[in-house]
Amino acid sequence: MDRRLDGIRVLVTRPRERAEELCFLLEDEGADVLSLPLLELHPPEDPRPLASAAEHVQRYHWVVFASPSAVESFLEALRLAGTLDRLSRVKLAAVGPRTARAVEGYGLKVEAEPHEGTGAALFTALRDVLGPDDDVLLPAAEEGRRELEDGLRDLGVRVTRVTAYRSAAAAVEPEALARLAEAPPQVVLFASPRTAEAFVEGVGREPLTSAKVVAIGPTTATALTQLGIPVAAVAERPTPEALVDATVRAVHG
């Protein structure tokens, strides 16, 4: 079996509860994988706007999801409100395949999903199907980016943005820091701008000085560049499989 990452030390940065599939795929390619949780996801400090949006979901023409975590948080709010069945009357859009898979995992249909997993790409996909009389619900991270929301508002679309969850930096365990110091990673993977920021804050830049850095998409790549971190490869799609391929490109050129 030709394993493209035999013996390569790969660090996967992630929220505390994610990235299992990516780690398995990297290990199948022979990589020595360390998974480092950097973010903890929490409910919104004020849950009332999310609960109200869930209770009245049928008034919206579209619900637009920007992350799998937004899907899970909003579907839980619908379950608590007893309005999960009303979501079938609403069109759904997702930023990228990972988010679309999260939606489809609940037996729901995604009407709009761009090839490139960015808010700007989803805006392009929605631009021709939305009208000025449409109401769009955007459940999002408290600190989430605003380009999709701003673009829709510029079209005259009525957008209701509610905080579905918030992220906070997780404490990095001393054992993980010790392992990074003893065996520095050859490749480091980042799946969001917030994770990149948390890495610099909690770990520092030292493990990145001799590592190839891989980004899940252009938004994360831009955030890394703004942090002064060179990016060796960017995944062609925001999926675990594409991240593995980007890791191979970063290693082998």
Side-chain angles (χ1 to χ4, degrees):
M1 179 181 176
D2 181 19
R3 303 206 298 175
R4 299 177 293 173
L5 297 173
D6 260 335
I8 299 297
R9 294 187 301 277
V10 178
L11 175 63
V12 176
T13 63
R14 60 179 179 85
R16 187 170 291 280
E17 74 282 9
R18 300 200 182 279
E20 292 85 354
E21 181 183 359
L22 174 59
C23 292
F24 289 145
L25 291 173
L26 290 166
E27 289 168 351
D28 284 345
E29 294 288 353
D32 177 15
V33 180
L34 172 62
S35 180
L36 182 64
L38 290 169
L39 297 176
E40 294 177 334
L41 303 184
H42 302 284
E45 290 185 350
D46 181 0
R48 290 173 295 180
L50 181 63
S52 177
E55 184 177 354
H56 303 289
V57 66
Q58 72 279 358
R59 69 178 289 266
Y60 299 99
H61 296 94
W62 287 81
V63 177
V64 178
F65 294 108
S67 70
S69 296
V71 176
E72 294 167 8
S73 297
F74 188 61
L75 268 291
E76 176 62 13
L78 289 168
R79 187 190 67 79
L80 292 173
T83 55
L84 192 57
D85 61 315
R86 299 179 190 176
L87 200 58
S88 61
R89 310 175 202 173
V90 180
K91 292 182 178 180
L92 306 179
V95 177
R98 287 176 61 247
T99 305
R101 275 191 277 182
V103 173
E104 292 162 352
Y106 288 92
L108 301 167
K109 180 182 178 182
V110 175
E111 300 283 348
E113 175 206 340
H115 178 77
E116 185 178 302
T118 66
L122 183 55
F123 168 73
T124 300
L126 289 172
R127 184 171 51 197
D128 295 331
V129 298
L130 286 174
D133 293 328
D134 284 341
D135 286 291
V136 173
L137 176 64
L138 180 59
E142 182 176 64
E143 66 284 353
R145 300 173 68 87
R146 301 275 175 167
E147 62 263 89
L148 174 58
E149 177 187 359
D150 292 342
L152 293 174
R153 291 189 191 280
D154 288 343
L155 282 180
V157 175
R158 294 190 293 267
V159 181
T160 300
R161 180 190 177 108
V162 294
T163 297
Y165 65 98
R166 53 195 172 88
S167 64
V172 181
E173 297 178 357
E175 294 82 359
L177 292 174
R179 182 175 174 185
L180 288 176
E182 293 167 4
Q186 294 163 278
V187 183
V188 182
L189 274 57
F190 290 100
S192 73
R194 185 70 184 92
T195 306
E197 294 164 2
F199 185 92
V200 172
E201 294 168 7
V203 180
R205 301 172 186 269
E206 182 62 28
L208 304 177
T209 55
S210 59
K212 304 284 189 181
V213 173
V214 176
I216 195 170
T219 302
T220 301
T222 298
L224 287 161
T225 301
Q226 290 172 345
L227 288 168
I229 300 168
V231 177
V234 181
E236 294 180 355
R237 296 199 78 197
T239 64
E241 295 82 2
L243 262 176
V244 173
D245 290 339
T247 301
V248 173
R249 291 200 308 273
V251 171
H252 296 296

